[in-house]
Amino acid sequence: MISVRNLEKVYGSGSTAVHAIKNANFEIEKGEIFGVIGFSGAGKSSLIRCINLLERPTSGEVIVNGTDLTKLSTDELRKARRKIGMIFQHFNLLSSATVFDNVAAPLKLNKAPKEVIRKKVSELLEVVGLSNRAQAYPSQLSGGQKQRVAIARALANDPEILLCDEATSALDPQTTESILDLLLDINKQYNLTIMLITHEMHVVKKICDRVAVMEEGQIVEMGSVLDIFSSPKTATTRNFIRNIFDDQLPEGFLERMQHVPGSRIVRLTFIGESTGHPVLAELTEKYHLKPNILFGHITQIKDTTFGYLVISLTGEAAVLDAALKYVNERGVRAEVIHHV
Ligand SMILES: Nc1ncnc2c1ncn2[C@@H]1O[C@H](COP(=O)(O)OP(=O)(O)OP(=O)(O)O)[C@@H](O)[C@H]1O
Ligand SMILES: [Mg+2]
């Protein structure tokens, strides 16, 4: 659906040039929700704005449905952009127009007949749950309602792609949840491809299928959200995940552990069905070990249950090796994160 190749974006030139995107390469499949996460200034907005050419790439290709958008004439680009909706952190609504007229604006631009506009706007307001606010002005709406209007407007031309730049960053946690639920709904209902930019890992965790992690203009890590959560490769990714699960061992704990030779601290990672395995009981029954639970966390990553437990085990090395091998074979990943 979207294919980005060797994309570079440099703002300005000479000594003040800012290299905002460095050799980005990725594909987004039809119907996928693809997240891009990174700290402020990482280049996320630059990247998403290059997808619909709001920002023209310095070099590289942006191929949407087989067409390289960078090669199109102004007129062709305008047409191609109708199939790419976009929403922003600050909603960007017309303050002097009603909810109805905001949603109708893209249709009016295309000179759609009045009756078609009326029907389409009503349908979209129904989808975003604002049918009874059609005549309200943006100043009379809450932040979440404004974003719903912006989503309805972005869907007016039946886009195939929706770009979301920090669409929930100005909203409180509860409203964020409801907007993310709405994005999930329209993704399913219209098989809409969604690319979303965020600096919040819980947004990625809740709705994305895959995610790219950006740092200083570069994509430093990319993969399925489950893979990124279960085995993050870079410090930046680990930092983002830590906002959700804090798995740092207290200093004092490791100190005390030095006095228990033969002990290991093990992280058990459970994904999907493996969350149902009674591995701790098996460690006790089969290997006569006494696992001590230090901490754990279980959560939902989109449609899959994901959890981990950090335990300490003490025993003979050969027994511990065999026990951990057994656990791994049962589909629960066991990693020794510290041993004495
Ligand atoms: N129009 C511009 N002209 C010059 N430099 C720019 C422009 N837009 C962005 N930059 C620079 O490019 C870099 C990436 O900015 P960008 O807005 O893409 O980051 P971001 O990841 O979206 O950050 P944030 O999370 O704060 O929105 C920054 O160093 C920024 O100062
Ligand atoms: Mg930004």
Coordinates of all heavy atoms in Angstrom, one line a residue, residues 38-125:
G38 N 8.9 8.0 18.7 CA 10.2 8.6 18.9 C 10.1 9.9 19.8 O 9.0 10.4 20.0
F39 N 11.2 10.3 20.4 CA 11.2 11.5 21.2 C 11.0 12.7 20.4 O 11.1 12.7 19.1 CB 12.5 11.6 22.0 CG 12.6 10.5 23.0 CD1 13.7 9.6 22.9 CD2 11.8 10.4 24.1 CE1 13.8 8.5 23.9 CE2 11.9 9.3 25.0 CZ 12.9 8.4 24.9
S40 N 10.8 13.8 21.0 CA 10.6 15.1 20.3 C 11.8 15.4 19.4 O 12.9 15.3 19.9 CB 10.4 16.2 21.4 OG 10.1 17.4 20.7
G41 N 11.5 15.8 18.2 CA 12.6 16.2 17.3 C 13.2 15.0 16.6 O 14.2 15.2 15.8
A42 N 12.7 13.8 16.8 CA 13.3 12.6 16.1 C 13.0 12.6 14.6 O 13.7 11.9 13.9 CB 12.7 11.4 16.7
G43 N 12.0 13.4 14.2 CA 11.7 13.4 12.7 C 10.4 12.8 12.4 O 10.1 12.6 11.2
K44 N 9.6 12.5 13.4 CA 8.3 11.8 13.1 C 7.4 12.6 12.2 O 6.8 12.1 11.2 CB 7.6 11.5 14.4 CG 8.5 10.8 15.4 CD 7.7 10.5 16.7 CE 7.3 11.7 17.5 NZ 8.3 12.6 18.0
S45 N 7.2 13.9 12.6 CA 6.2 14.7 11.8 C 6.8 14.8 10.4 O 6.0 14.8 9.4 CB 6.0 16.0 12.4 OG 5.3 15.9 13.6
S46 N 8.1 15.1 10.3 CA 8.7 15.2 8.9 C 8.4 14.0 8.1 O 8.0 14.1 6.9 CB 10.2 15.4 9.0 OG 10.5 16.5 9.8
L47 N 8.5 12.8 8.7 CA 8.3 11.5 8.0 C 6.9 11.4 7.5 O 6.6 11.1 6.4 CB 8.7 10.4 8.9 CG 8.6 9.0 8.3 CD1 9.6 8.9 7.1 CD2 8.9 7.9 9.3
I48 N 5.9 11.6 8.4 CA 4.5 11.4 8.1 C 4.1 12.5 7.0 O 3.3 12.2 6.1 CB 3.6 11.4 9.3 CG1 2.3 10.6 9.0 CG2 3.2 12.8 9.8 CD1 1.5 10.2 10.2
R49 N 4.6 13.7 7.1 CA 4.3 14.7 6.2 C 4.9 14.5 4.8 O 4.4 15.0 3.8 CB 4.7 16.1 6.7 CG 3.9 16.5 7.9 CD 4.5 17.7 8.7 NE 4.4 18.9 7.9 CZ 3.4 19.7 8.0 NH1 2.4 19.4 8.7 NH2 3.4 20.8 7.3
C50 N 5.9 13.6 4.7 CA 6.5 13.2 3.4 C 5.6 12.2 2.8 O 5.7 12.0 1.5 CB 7.9 12.7 3.6 SG 9.2 14.0 3.8
I51 N 4.7 11.5 3.5 CA 3.9 10.5 2.9 C 2.8 11.1 2.0 O 2.5 10.5 1.0 CB 3.2 9.6 4.0 CG1 4.3 9.0 4.9 CG2 2.3 8.5 3.4 CD1 5.3 8.0 4.3
N52 N 2.3 12.2 2.4 CA 1.3 12.9 1.5 C 1.9 14.1 0.8 O 1.2 14.9 0.2 CB 0.0 13.2 2.2 CG 0.2 14.1 3.4 OD1 1.4 14.5 3.6 ND2 -0.8 14.5 4.0
L53 N 3.3 14.2 0.9 CA 4.0 15.3 0.3 C 3.6 16.7 0.8 O 3.8 17.7 0.1 CB 3.9 15.2 -1.2 CG 5.2 14.6 -1.8 CD1 5.3 13.1 -1.4 CD2 5.2 14.6 -3.3
L54 N 3.0 16.8 2.0 CA 2.9 18.1 2.6 C 4.3 18.7 2.8 O 4.5 19.9 2.8 CB 2.3 17.9 4.0 CG 0.8 18.0 4.2 CD1 0.4 17.9 5.6 CD2 0.2 19.2 3.5
E55 N 5.2 17.8 2.9 CA 6.7 18.1 3.0 C 7.3 17.4 1.8 O 7.1 16.1 1.7 CB 7.2 17.6 4.3 CG 8.3 18.4 5.0 CD 8.0 19.9 5.1 OE1 7.4 20.4 6.1 OE2 8.5 20.6 4.2
R56 N 8.0 18.0 0.9 CA 8.6 17.3 -0.2 C 9.9 16.7 0.2 O 10.8 17.4 0.8 CB 8.8 18.3 -1.4 CG 9.1 17.6 -2.7 CD 8.8 18.5 -3.9 NE 7.5 18.3 -4.4 CZ 7.1 17.2 -5.2 NH1 8.0 16.3 -5.5 NH2 5.9 17.1 -5.6
P57 N 10.0 15.4 0.0 CA 11.3 14.7 0.4 C 12.5 15.3 -0.4 O 12.3 15.7 -1.6 CB 11.1 13.3 0.0 CG 9.6 13.1 -0.2 CD 9.1 14.4 -0.6
T58 N 13.6 15.4 0.2 CA 14.8 15.9 -0.5 C 15.2 14.8 -1.6 O 15.6 15.2 -2.7 CB 16.0 16.1 0.5 OG1 15.5 17.0 1.5 CG2 17.2 16.7 -0.1
S59 N 15.1 13.6 -1.2 CA 15.3 12.5 -2.2 C 14.6 11.2 -1.7 O 14.2 11.2 -0.6 CB 16.8 12.2 -2.4 OG 17.4 11.8 -1.3
G60 N 14.5 10.3 -2.6 CA 13.8 9.0 -2.3 C 12.5 8.9 -2.9 O 12.0 9.9 -3.5
E61 N 11.8 7.8 -2.7 CA 10.5 7.5 -3.3 C 9.4 7.3 -2.2 O 9.7 6.7 -1.2 CB 10.6 6.2 -4.1 CG 11.6 6.4 -5.3 CD 11.8 5.1 -6.0 OE1 11.3 4.0 -5.5 OE2 12.4 5.1 -7.1
V62 N 8.2 7.8 -2.5 CA 7.1 7.5 -1.7 C 6.0 6.9 -2.6 O 5.4 7.6 -3.4 CB 6.5 8.8 -1.1 CG1 5.3 8.5 -0.2 CG2 7.6 9.5 -0.2
I63 N 5.9 5.6 -2.6 CA 5.1 4.9 -3.5 C 3.8 4.5 -2.8 O 3.8 3.8 -1.8 CB 5.8 3.6 -4.1 CG1 7.0 4.1 -4.8 CG2 4.8 2.9 -5.0 CD1 8.0 3.0 -5.0
V64 N 2.6 5.1 -3.3 CA 1.3 4.7 -2.7 C 0.5 4.1 -3.8 O 0.3 4.6 -4.9 CB 0.6 6.0 -2.2 CG1 -0.8 5.7 -1.7 CG2 1.4 6.7 -1.1
N65 N 0.1 2.8 -3.5 CA -0.7 2.1 -4.5 C 0.0 2.0 -5.8 O -0.6 2.2 -6.9 CB -2.1 2.7 -4.7 CG -3.1 2.1 -3.8 OD1 -2.9 1.0 -3.4 ND2 -4.2 2.8 -3.6
G66 N 1.3 1.8 -5.8 CA 2.1 1.6 -7.1 C 2.5 2.9 -7.7 O 3.3 2.9 -8.7
T67 N 2.1 4.1 -7.2 CA 2.5 5.3 -7.9 C 3.5 6.1 -7.0 O 3.2 6.3 -5.8 CB 1.3 6.2 -8.1 OG1 0.3 5.5 -8.8 CG2 1.6 7.5 -8.9
D68 N 4.6 6.5 -7.6 CA 5.6 7.3 -6.8 C 5.1 8.8 -6.8 O 5.1 9.5 -7.8 CB 6.9 7.3 -7.5 CG 8.0 8.0 -6.7 OD1 7.6 8.7 -5.7 OD2 9.2 7.9 -7.0
L69 N 4.6 9.2 -5.6 CA 4.0 10.5 -5.5 C 5.0 11.6 -5.8 O 4.5 12.7 -6.2 CB 3.4 10.7 -4.1 CG 2.3 9.8 -3.6 CD1 1.8 10.3 -2.2 CD2 1.2 9.6 -4.6
T70 N 6.2 11.4 -5.6 CA 7.2 12.5 -5.9 C 7.3 12.8 -7.4 O 7.9 13.8 -7.7 CB 8.6 12.1 -5.3 OG1 9.1 11.0 -6.1 CG2 8.6 11.8 -3.9
K71 N 6.8 11.9 -8.2 CA 6.9 12.1 -9.7 C 5.6 12.8 -10.3 O 5.6 13.0 -11.5 CB 7.1 10.8 -10.4 CG 8.3 10.0 -9.9 CD 9.6 10.4 -10.7 CE 10.8 9.5 -10.5 NZ 11.0 9.0 -9.1
L72 N 4.6 13.0 -9.4 CA 3.3 13.5 -10.0 C 3.3 15.0 -10.2 O 4.0 15.8 -9.5 CB 2.2 13.1 -9.0 CG 1.9 11.7 -8.8 CD1 0.7 11.5 -7.9 CD2 1.7 10.9 -10.1
S73 N 2.5 15.4 -11.1 CA 2.3 16.9 -11.3 C 1.4 17.4 -10.2 O 0.8 16.6 -9.5 CB 1.6 17.1 -12.7 OG 0.3 16.6 -12.6
T74 N 1.3 18.7 -10.1 CA 0.5 19.3 -9.0 C -0.9 18.8 -9.0 O -1.5 18.5 -8.0 CB 0.5 20.8 -9.1 OG1 1.8 21.2 -9.5 CG2 0.1 21.5 -7.8
D75 N -1.5 18.7 -10.2 CA -2.8 18.3 -10.4 C -3.0 16.8 -10.0 O -4.0 16.5 -9.3 CB -3.2 18.5 -11.9 CG -4.7 18.9 -11.9 OD1 -5.1 19.7 -11.0 OD2 -5.4 18.4 -12.9
E76 N -2.1 16.0 -10.5 CA -2.2 14.6 -10.2 C -2.0 14.3 -8.7 O -2.7 13.5 -8.1 CB -1.1 13.8 -10.9 CG -1.3 13.7 -12.4 CD -0.1 13.2 -13.2 OE1 1.1 13.5 -12.7 OE2 -0.2 12.5 -14.2
L77 N -1.1 15.1 -8.1 CA -0.9 15.0 -6.7 C -2.2 15.3 -5.9 O -2.5 14.7 -4.9 CB 0.3 15.9 -6.2 CG 0.7 15.8 -4.8 CD1 1.1 14.4 -4.4 CD2 1.8 16.7 -4.5
R78 N -2.8 16.4 -6.3 CA -4.1 16.8 -5.6 C -5.1 15.7 -5.6 O -5.7 15.4 -4.6 CB -4.6 18.1 -6.3 CG -5.8 18.7 -5.4 CD -6.3 20.0 -6.0 NE -5.3 20.9 -6.5 CZ -5.3 21.4 -7.8 NH1 -6.2 21.0 -8.6 NH2 -4.4 22.2 -8.1
K79 N -5.2 15.0 -6.8 CA -6.1 13.9 -6.9 C -5.7 12.7 -5.9 O -6.5 12.1 -5.2 CB -6.2 13.3 -8.3 CG -7.0 14.2 -9.2 CD -7.6 13.4 -10.3 CE -8.3 14.3 -11.3 NZ -7.4 14.7 -12.4
A80 N -4.4 12.4 -6.0 CA -3.9 11.3 -5.2 C -4.1 11.6 -3.7 O -4.4 10.6 -2.9 CB -2.4 11.1 -5.5
R81 N -4.0 12.8 -3.3 CA -4.1 13.2 -1.9 C -5.5 13.0 -1.3 O -5.7 12.8 -0.1 CB -3.7 14.7 -1.7 CG -2.3 14.9 -1.5 CD -2.1 16.2 -0.8 NE -0.7 16.5 -0.7 CZ -0.2 17.7 -1.2 NH1 -1.0 18.5 -1.8 NH2 1.1 17.9 -1.1
R82 N -6.5 13.0 -2.2 CA -7.9 12.7 -1.7 C -8.0 11.4 -1.1 O -8.9 11.2 -0.3 CB -8.8 12.8 -2.9 CG -9.1 14.2 -3.4 CD -10.2 14.2 -4.4 NE -10.1 15.4 -5.2 CZ -10.6 15.6 -6.4 NH1 -11.1 14.5 -7.0 NH2 -10.5 16.7 -7.0
K83 N -7.1 10.5 -1.5 CA -7.2 9.1 -0.9 C -6.4 9.0 0.3 O -6.2 7.9 0.9 CB -6.8 8.1 -2.0 CG -7.8 8.0 -3.1 CD -9.1 7.4 -2.7 CE -10.3 7.8 -3.5 NZ -11.6 7.7 -2.9
I84 N -5.8 10.1 0.8 CA -5.0 10.1 2.0 C -5.5 11.2 3.0 O -5.4 12.4 2.7 CB -3.5 10.4 1.7 CG1 -3.0 9.6 0.5 CG2 -2.6 10.2 2.9 CD1 -1.6 9.9 0.1
G85 N -6.2 10.7 4.0 CA -6.7 11.7 5.0 C -5.7 11.9 6.1 O -4.7 11.1 6.2
M86 N -5.8 13.1 6.8 CA -4.8 13.3 7.8 C -5.5 14.0 9.0 O -6.4 14.9 8.8 CB -3.7 14.2 7.3 CG -2.6 14.4 8.2 SD -1.1 14.9 7.4 CE 0.1 14.8 8.8
I87 N -5.1 13.6 10.2 CA -5.5 14.3 11.4 C -4.3 14.7 12.2 O -3.2 14.1 12.1 CB -6.5 13.5 12.3 CG1 -5.9 12.1 12.7 CG2 -7.8 13.3 11.5 CD1 -6.8 11.4 13.7
F88 N -4.5 15.8 13.1 CA -3.4 16.4 13.7 C -3.6 16.5 15.2 O -4.8 16.4 15.7 CB -3.2 17.9 13.2 CG -3.0 17.9 11.7 CD1 -4.1 18.0 10.9 CD2 -1.7 17.9 11.1 CE1 -4.0 18.0 9.5 CE2 -1.6 18.0 9.7 CZ -2.7 18.0 8.9
Q89 N -2.6 16.9 16.0 CA -2.7 17.0 17.4 C -3.7 18.1 17.8 O -4.5 18.0 18.7 CB -1.3 17.4 18.0 CG -1.3 17.6 19.5 CD 0.1 17.8 20.0 OE1 1.1 17.7 19.3 NE2 0.2 18.0 21.3
H90 N -3.6 19.3 17.0 CA -4.5 20.4 17.4 C -5.7 20.5 16.5 O -6.3 21.6 16.3 CB -3.7 21.7 17.5 CG -2.6 21.6 18.5 ND1 -3.0 21.5 19.9 CD2 -1.3 21.5 18.5 CE1 -1.9 21.4 20.6 NE2 -0.8 21.4 19.8
F91 N -6.1 19.4 15.9 CA -7.4 19.3 15.2 C -7.5 20.1 13.9 O -8.1 19.6 12.9 CB -8.6 19.6 16.1 CG -8.4 19.2 17.6 CD1 -8.5 20.1 18.6 CD2 -8.1 17.9 17.9 CE1 -8.3 19.7 19.9 CE2 -7.9 17.5 19.2 CZ -8.0 18.4 20.2
N92 N -7.0 21.3 13.9 CA -7.1 22.2 12.7 C -8.5 22.3 12.1 O -8.7 22.1 10.9 CB -6.1 21.6 11.6 CG -4.7 21.7 12.1 OD1 -4.4 21.8 13.3 ND2 -3.7 21.5 11.2
L93 N -9.5 22.6 12.9 CA -10.8 22.8 12.4 C -11.0 24.2 12.1 O -10.3 25.1 12.6 CB -11.9 22.4 13.5 CG -11.8 20.9 13.9 CD1 -12.9 20.7 15.0 CD2 -12.0 19.9 12.8
L94 N -12.0 24.5 11.2 CA -12.4 25.9 10.9 C -13.3 26.4 12.0 O -14.4 25.9 12.2 CB -13.2 25.9 9.6 CG -12.4 25.7 8.3 CD1 -13.4 25.5 7.1 CD2 -11.5 26.8 8.0
S95 N -12.8 27.4 12.8 CA -13.6 27.8 14.0 C -14.9 28.5 13.6 O -15.8 28.5 14.4 CB -12.7 28.7 14.8 OG -12.3 29.8 14.1
S96 N -14.9 29.1 12.4 CA -16.1 29.8 12.0 C -17.2 28.9 11.3 O -18.2 29.4 10.9 CB -15.8 31.0 11.1 OG -15.1 30.4 10.0
A97 N -16.9 27.6 11.2 CA -17.8 26.7 10.5 C -18.4 25.7 11.5 O -17.7 25.4 12.5 CB -17.1 26.0 9.4
T98 N -19.6 25.3 11.3 CA -20.2 24.3 12.2 C -19.5 22.9 12.0 O -18.8 22.8 11.0 CB -21.7 24.1 11.8 OG1 -21.8 23.6 10.5 CG2 -22.5 25.4 12.0
V99 N -19.9 22.0 12.9 CA -19.4 20.6 12.7 C -19.7 20.1 11.3 O -18.9 19.6 10.6 CB -20.0 19.8 13.8 CG1 -19.8 18.3 13.6 CG2 -19.4 20.2 15.2
F100 N -21.0 20.3 11.0 CA -21.4 19.8 9.6 C -20.6 20.4 8.5 O -20.1 19.7 7.7 CB -22.9 20.2 9.4 CG -23.5 19.7 8.1 CD1 -24.3 18.5 8.1 CD2 -23.2 20.3 6.9 CE1 -24.8 18.0 6.9 CE2 -23.7 19.8 5.7 CZ -24.5 18.7 5.7
D101 N -20.4 21.7 8.6 CA -19.6 22.4 7.5 C -18.1 22.0 7.5 O -17.5 21.9 6.4 CB -19.8 23.9 7.5 CG -21.2 24.3 7.1 OD1 -21.8 23.5 6.3 OD2 -21.7 25.3 7.5
N102 N -17.6 21.7 8.7 CA -16.2 21.3 8.7 C -16.1 19.9 8.0 O -15.1 19.7 7.2 CB -15.7 21.1 10.2 CG -15.0 22.4 10.7 OD1 -13.9 22.6 10.4 ND2 -15.7 23.2 11.5
V103 N -17.0 19.0 8.3 CA -16.9 17.7 7.7 C -17.2 17.8 6.2 O -16.6 17.0 5.4 CB -17.9 16.7 8.4 CG1 -17.8 15.3 7.8 CG2 -17.5 16.6 9.9
A104 N -18.1 18.7 5.8 CA -18.5 18.9 4.4 C -17.4 19.5 3.6 O -17.4 19.4 2.3 CB -19.8 19.7 4.3
A105 N -16.5 20.2 4.2 CA -15.5 21.1 3.5 C -14.8 20.3 2.3 O -14.8 20.8 1.2 CB -14.5 21.7 4.4
P106 N -14.2 19.2 2.6 CA -13.5 18.5 1.5 C -14.5 18.1 0.3 O -14.1 18.1 -0.8 CB -12.9 17.2 2.1 CG -13.1 17.4 3.6 CD -14.1 18.4 3.8
L107 N -15.7 17.8 0.7 CA -16.7 17.4 -0.4 C -17.1 18.6 -1.2 O -17.2 18.6 -2.4 CB -17.9 16.8 0.3 CG -17.7 15.5 1.1 CD1 -18.8 15.2 2.0 CD2 -17.4 14.4 0.1
K108 N -17.2 19.8 -0.5 CA -17.6 21.0 -1.3 C -16.4 21.4 -2.2 O -16.7 21.8 -3.3 CB -17.8 22.2 -0.3 CG -19.2 22.1 0.4 CD -19.4 23.3 1.3 CE -20.8 23.1 2.0 NZ -20.8 23.9 3.2
L109 N -15.2 21.2 -1.7 CA -14.0 21.5 -2.6 C -14.1 20.6 -3.9 O -13.7 21.1 -4.9 CB -12.7 21.1 -1.9 CG -12.0 22.2 -1.1 CD1 -10.8 21.7 -0.5 CD2 -11.6 23.3 -2.1
N110 N -14.6 19.4 -3.7 CA -14.7 18.6 -4.9 C -16.0 18.8 -5.7 O -16.4 18.0 -6.6 CB -14.7 17.1 -4.5 CG -13.4 16.7 -3.9 OD1 -12.4 17.4 -4.1 ND2 -13.3 15.6 -3.2
K111 N -16.7 19.8 -5.3 CA -18.0 20.2 -5.9 C -19.0 19.0 -5.9 O -19.7 18.8 -6.9 CB -17.8 20.7 -7.4 CG -16.8 21.8 -7.4 CD -16.9 22.6 -8.7 CE -16.1 23.9 -8.7 NZ -14.8 23.9 -8.2
A112 N -19.1 18.3 -4.8 CA -20.1 17.2 -4.7 C -21.5 17.9 -4.6 O -21.6 18.9 -4.0 CB -19.8 16.4 -3.5
P113 N -22.5 17.2 -5.2 CA -23.9 17.7 -5.1 C -24.3 17.8 -3.6 O -23.9 17.0 -2.8 CB -24.7 16.7 -5.9 CG -23.8 15.9 -6.6 CD -22.4 16.0 -6.0
K114 N -25.2 18.8 -3.3 CA -25.7 19.0 -2.0 C -26.2 17.8 -1.3 O -25.9 17.5 -0.1 CB -26.8 20.1 -2.0 CG -26.4 21.4 -1.4 CD -27.6 22.3 -1.2 CE -27.1 23.4 -0.3 NZ -27.7 24.7 -0.6
E115 N -27.0 17.0 -2.0 CA -27.7 15.9 -1.4 C -26.6 14.8 -1.0 O -26.7 14.2 0.0 CB -28.7 15.3 -2.4 CG -29.6 14.3 -1.8 CD -30.2 14.6 -0.5 OE1 -30.4 15.8 -0.1 OE2 -30.4 13.7 0.3
V116 N -25.6 14.7 -1.9 CA -24.6 13.7 -1.6 C -23.8 14.1 -0.4 O -23.5 13.3 0.5 CB -23.6 13.6 -2.8 CG1 -22.3 12.8 -2.5 CG2 -24.3 13.1 -4.1
I117 N -23.6 15.4 -0.3 CA -22.9 16.0 0.9 C -23.7 15.7 2.2 O -23.1 15.2 3.2 CB -22.6 17.5 0.7 CG1 -21.6 17.7 -0.4 CG2 -22.0 18.1 2.0 CD1 -21.3 19.2 -0.7
R118 N -25.0 16.0 2.1 CA -25.8 15.8 3.3 C -25.8 14.4 3.8 O -25.6 14.1 5.0 CB -27.2 16.3 3.0 CG -28.1 16.6 4.2 CD -29.6 16.7 3.9 NE -30.0 15.4 3.2 CZ -30.2 14.3 3.9 NH1 -30.1 14.2 5.2 NH2 -30.6 13.2 3.2
K119 N -25.9 13.5 2.8 CA -25.9 12.1 3.2 C -24.6 11.6 3.8 O -24.5 10.9 4.8 CB -26.2 11.3 1.9 CG -26.7 9.9 2.1 CD -27.5 9.4 0.9 CE -27.7 7.9 1.1 NZ -26.5 7.1 0.5
K120 N -23.5 12.0 3.1 CA -22.2 11.6 3.5 C -21.8 12.1 4.9 O -21.3 11.4 5.8 CB -21.2 12.0 2.5 CG -19.8 11.5 2.7 CD -19.7 10.0 2.4 CE -18.3 9.5 2.8 NZ -18.3 8.0 2.6
V121 N -22.1 13.4 5.1 CA -21.8 14.0 6.4 C -22.6 13.4 7.5 O -22.0 13.0 8.6 CB -22.0 15.6 6.4 CG1 -21.8 16.2 7.7 CG2 -21.0 16.2 5.3
S122 N -23.9 13.1 7.3 CA -24.7 12.4 8.3 C -24.1 11.1 8.6 O -24.0 10.7 9.8 CB -26.1 12.2 7.9 OG -26.6 13.4 7.3
E123 N -23.7 10.4 7.6 CA -23.2 9.0 7.8 C -21.9 9.1 8.7 O -21.7 8.3 9.6 CB -22.9 8.4 6.4 CG -22.2 7.0 6.5 CD -21.6 6.7 5.1 OE1 -22.2 7.0 4.1 OE2 -20.5 6.2 5.1
L124 N -21.0 10.1 8.3 CA -19.8 10.2 9.0 C -19.9 10.6 10.5 O -19.3 10.1 11.4 CB -18.8 11.1 8.3 CG -18.3 10.6 7.0 CD1 -17.6 11.6 6.2 CD2 -17.3 9.4 7.2
L125 N -20.9 11.6 10.7 CA -21.1 12.0 12.0 C -21.7 10.9 12.9 O -21.4 10.8 14.1 CB -22.1 13.2 12.1 CG -21.4 14.5 11.5 CD1 -22.4 15.7 11.5 CD2 -20.2 14.9 12.3

